[in-house]
Amino acid sequence: MMRLILFIGPPGSGKGTQAQRLAQELGYRHLVMGDLLREEIRAKTPLGQKIQPLLEAGLLVPDELVIDLVAHHLQNGADYILDGFPRTVPQAEALDRLLNEKGASLQSVIFLDVPEEELIARLLKRSELEGRSDDNPETIQRRLAEYRQKTQPLLDFYEARGLLRRISGVGSIPQITERIKKAMEMC
Ligand code: ADP
């Protein structure tokens, strides 16, 4: 049976890094929503052209577009860590329907908690190092606002179902990986 782990966290929380480490350790596939969207933009597909201005402005892409993209990428018979999906309650509901159809189950939802001042400092530093077009001061504020307004409600959604694991995302990379594994009762 297909198993899924979700990573939720604000921009700059380190979920990409941690999701990748855990995926490698567990032998799960690591599906990164931001990368799928950036690949559409790079390849100049019709979807890519539609979403480019949204990503550059730090706004979320409409639910139906990301839902279709995930449905298209989830293959039966594999286990996945989803990184950056779902980010809204309607996305989470759509994921439930998708998993029902596939007879798949949610194993846990990892939430990486990092104070906002630390997030802003990390994103500004990343903008210097990597030059990602959405890592500039105005866009960072917009992404954090989108997170607070649309993604934060997901924490209650999964908490109510007993799936949420809250983990402090402050510390060294291996320390945080250990915390995640403990929270998932793998140690
Ligand atoms: P970060 O979480 O650090 O902001 P990501 O690479 O995960 O970076 O996402 C970059 C951008 O891609 C987001 O600001 C948003 O525009 C878009 N995006 C990613 N995942 C989703 C999603 N599930 N729903 C809507 N938009 C998304």
Side-chain angles (χ1 to χ4, degrees):
M1 181 161 112
M2 182 186 202
R3 286 165 303 180
L4 268 97
I5 298 170
L6 310 182
F7 267 73
I8 301 181
S13 58
K15 60 184 163 23
T17 305
Q18 294 298 333
Q20 186 178 17
R21 288 170 64 91
L22 195 67
Q24 192 147 27
E25 196 153 322
L26 297 176
Y28 283 27
R29 296 191 193 172
H30 179 204
L31 199 63
V32 186
M33 183 48 73
D35 287 352
L36 295 182
L37 296 172
R38 282 185 286 271
E39 177 54 26
E40 296 287 327
I41 293 173
R42 198 200 55 75
K44 297 195 162 60
T45 64
L47 173 63
Q49 289 173 343
K50 197 159 161 184
I51 65 179
Q52 183 167 18
L54 297 171
L55 264 87
E56 284 178 356
L59 295 169
L60 291 185
V61 169
D63 289 332
E64 60 277 14
L65 300 182
V66 288
I67 291 165
D68 280 353
L69 204 58
V70 163
H72 181 78
H73 278 86
L74 284 182
Q75 286 174 8
N76 291 326
D79 297 323
Y80 287 90
I81 294 190
L82 299 190
D83 171 350
F85 183 90
R87 269 191 215 238
T88 67
V89 172
Q91 289 178 23
E93 290 166 348
L95 180 63
D96 274 347
R97 288 193 293 273
L98 202 63
L99 297 184
N100 269 335
E101 279 167 26
K102 293 182 179 288
S105 70
L106 277 183
Q107 212 175 330
S108 36
V109 179
I110 309 294
F111 166 57
L112 283 181
D113 197 7
V114 176
E116 195 156 311
E117 316 80 71
E118 169 84 12
L119 294 173
I120 295 171
R122 289 184 188 179
L123 291 167
L124 288 173
K125 191 163 152 213
R126 187 167 83 184
S127 73
E128 284 167 21
L129 297 175
E130 295 175 19
R132 230 176 79 167
S133 65
D134 59 350
D135 281 344
N136 58 70
E138 308 85 83
T139 311
I140 288 170
Q141 287 302 336
R142 182 84 59 62
R143 282 154 64 203
L144 289 171
E146 288 278 82
Y147 169 78
R148 282 193 296 266
Q149 194 189 336
K150 297 179 182 158
T151 308
Q152 223 152 251
L154 274 183
L155 302 181
D156 290 339
F157 180 91
Y158 287 120
E159 179 114 85
R161 295 166 53 177
L163 288 169
L164 193 75
R165 305 285 177 266
R166 278 175 201 268
I167 286 136
S168 164
V170 181
S172 74
I173 290 173
Q175 254 169 5
I176 296 165
T177 310
E178 279 312 303
R179 286 179 202 151
I180 294 171
K181 286 163 60 183
K182 275 224 178 72
M184 293 180 57
E185 285 150 345
M186 294 164 43
C187 293

